Amino acid sequence: MGYDQLNSIIRLENISHAYGGNKSVLSDISLEIPEKSFYSILGPSGCGKSTLLKISASMLKPQAGHVYVKDRIVHSPDPERIIVFQDDNQLFPWMTVRENISFPLRLLGRSIIDKRSEILEKQVYLDGYTDYYPSQLSGGMRKRTIIARALSSEPEILLLDEPFSSLDIQTRITLHKLIYSIWEKTGITVVFVTHDIDEALTLSSDIAVMNSSGSFTSIFRNSFAGSFGEMSIDFFTRRKELMNMIESPEKI
Amino acid sequence: MKFFWFLIFLAVWEIIRISGNFSPLIFPSVKDVVASLVSSSIDGEIFFQLLFSLFIIFISLAAGTVAAFILVLGSHVSGILDSLLKSLVSFFHPLPGIAILPAVILWTGTGIESIFIIVIHSVLWPMVTNLHTGYSSIPENYSFFRKNYRMNHFQMFTGITLPYSLPYILAGLKISFARSWRALISAEMIFGAAGGKGGIGWYIFSKRVYMDTAGIYAGLLVIIVIGIVIEELFFTCIEQKTVRKWGMIS
């Protein structure tokens, strides 16, 4: 396990939210995300987990409740909480891999830019593609560039919104291993939103299960983190349990 | 391929001329047209007129683009400006440049100012329309990125808005160039020479006055060549080196 602290880095307190006066997406949600954890929020589509992630990044202002980062209340986004979405169009097509990765460094006025970008490119195995434009890369490579760019400014927290769901299974597994090893090595806190039970089980140190009505049914430490390909009987038993938890019979 | 069809066209032209059914005043020989072109080139007249026309277009394209940017940025800051700009576009976009010429002459006389007004009118509205489309289609992800790194307005504009809008700017410039080039030539024909510099439109018009048919065709030929050079070579070249290379247009 990559962490042993019990301090929470993000604390959500009594969050409620609804879009445009409709039925509420989130009602009175509270959650503590431990520092240095790989924290997955697992739930069916439409349950409000992405909304919760946007609120955690302060990209969306909740109608009620507060977000705390290290016990300080936060209202606006900052470079310590970088959020990454699913779609590919987050990269800037007019910038090369290197320019995309180093863009945050330049924006934040960092002094060591090229060296840092070079290290990141190696870390995500893109060191041969420095001068490529996003349109020349495969989907997996684009995802790796997005991850490298998100890591470039060394944020404390990385918030990922189903980042790998559009990829084929082989590419996904490669990226799972990559993000897991980055998490292990850097001690960054990862908040990972997914609807994929296997993905949550193989990656996360902690899992919070959300049901379709947007409330947490179970929050637990996960013992299968980093178990790529070793799917034991226990794994399948756990998987079945989670499946039951997120399923909503009335919707099927 | 274009060159091949051009040669065919010349051959047909010569056949019609040699058949003798038309007056040489209507169908001058290719040789005469070329000779007129060469003599105008040697005394520099045609280049001088051309440079003058292109200079006006260039200044107006630049001014129109900057003005369009300011208007579009303004319309994203204020709702009232946005509604005003949309209405202005729907009023003036359909108006051909040449149609407002009589009114413009009343305001500013027949000087170079009125040519500028006509040409800027031809540039501004298509540019505003295109930039507006580009600006409104900036992906939501970019705005999340901007908030995440707390980019200021200047960083956002130079780092994201401007390069993102480039395909729209180029498309706008192409339409603007086509419109302004046509408006300019028409305006020049009506105005005549202002201080000896009437532009290529005036060049053609003055050739008609002296019944120098070969000269008229020489002027037309020059307009065609300029059109090809700018619309196909210049814009294509910029596109290849930017938006096409980046995969922003296919």
Side-chain angles (χ1 to χ4, degrees), chain B residues 2-138:
Chain B
K2 276 193 181 115
F3 190 66
F4 168 76
W5 289 113
F6 182 66
L7 289 181
I8 297 283
F9 176 78
L10 286 188
V12 172
W13 180 283
E14 279 296 283
I15 289 165
I16 292 172
R17 183 187 65 83
I18 292 163
S19 74
N21 293 327
F22 296 97
S23 151
L25 280 177
I26 296 174
F27 270 93
S29 72
V30 171
K31 206 183 86 204
D32 287 345
V33 173
V34 173
S36 166
L37 198 57
V38 169
S39 74
S40 291
S41 308
I42 289 169
D43 64 26
E45 188 194 358
I46 205 161
F47 284 122
F48 192 65
Q49 305 281 32
L50 199 61
L51 275 179
F52 182 72
S53 298
L54 286 174
F55 168 77
I56 288 180
I57 296 259
F58 178 78
I59 299 283
S60 309
L61 277 179
T65 308
V66 171
F69 250 112
I70 292 169
L71 289 173
V72 170
L73 287 177
S75 80
H76 276 82
V77 176
S78 140
I80 296 172
L81 271 180
D82 186 45
S83 126
L84 172 68
L85 190 63
K86 280 201 182 107
S87 308
L88 286 179
V89 168
S90 60
F91 297 158
F92 293 119
H93 194 33
L95 262 186
I98 202 67
I100 64 167
L101 188 58
V104 173
I105 290 176
L106 279 181
W107 303 332
T108 60
T110 55
I112 190 168
E113 299 87 357
S114 32
I115 295 197
F116 271 120
I117 292 176
I118 305 290
V119 178
I120 287 179
H121 164 83
S122 313
V123 170
L124 188 61
W125 308 114
M127 211 59 204
V128 165
T129 311
N130 267 41
L131 278 183
H132 205 282
T133 314
Y135 206 94
S136 316
S137 71
I138 291 183

Side-chain angles (χ1 to χ4, degrees), chain A residues 54 59 77-79 81-83 85 87 89-94 103-104 107 133 135 149 153, chain B residues 139-145 147-151 155 159-161 163-164 244-248:
Chain A
K54 272 189 197 144
M59 289 293 175
D78 59 69
R81 285 175 292 157
I82 298 299
I83 187 164
F85 297 94
D87 5 340
N89 69 357
Q90 296 168 79
L91 291 172
F92 302 114
W94 57 89
F103 193 42
L107 288 174
Y133 287 95
S135 62
R149 185 180 74 181
S153 61
Chain B
E140 200 189 8
N141 278 328
Y142 292 178
S143 95
F144 287 131
F145 183 92
K147 289 181 192 154
N148 233 166
Y149 293 102
R150 295 180 165 161
M151 294 169 76
Q155 288 172 328
I160 295 180
T161 311
Y164 178 80
R244 219 171 274 280
K245 184 168 93 179
W246 303 332
M248 292 174 83

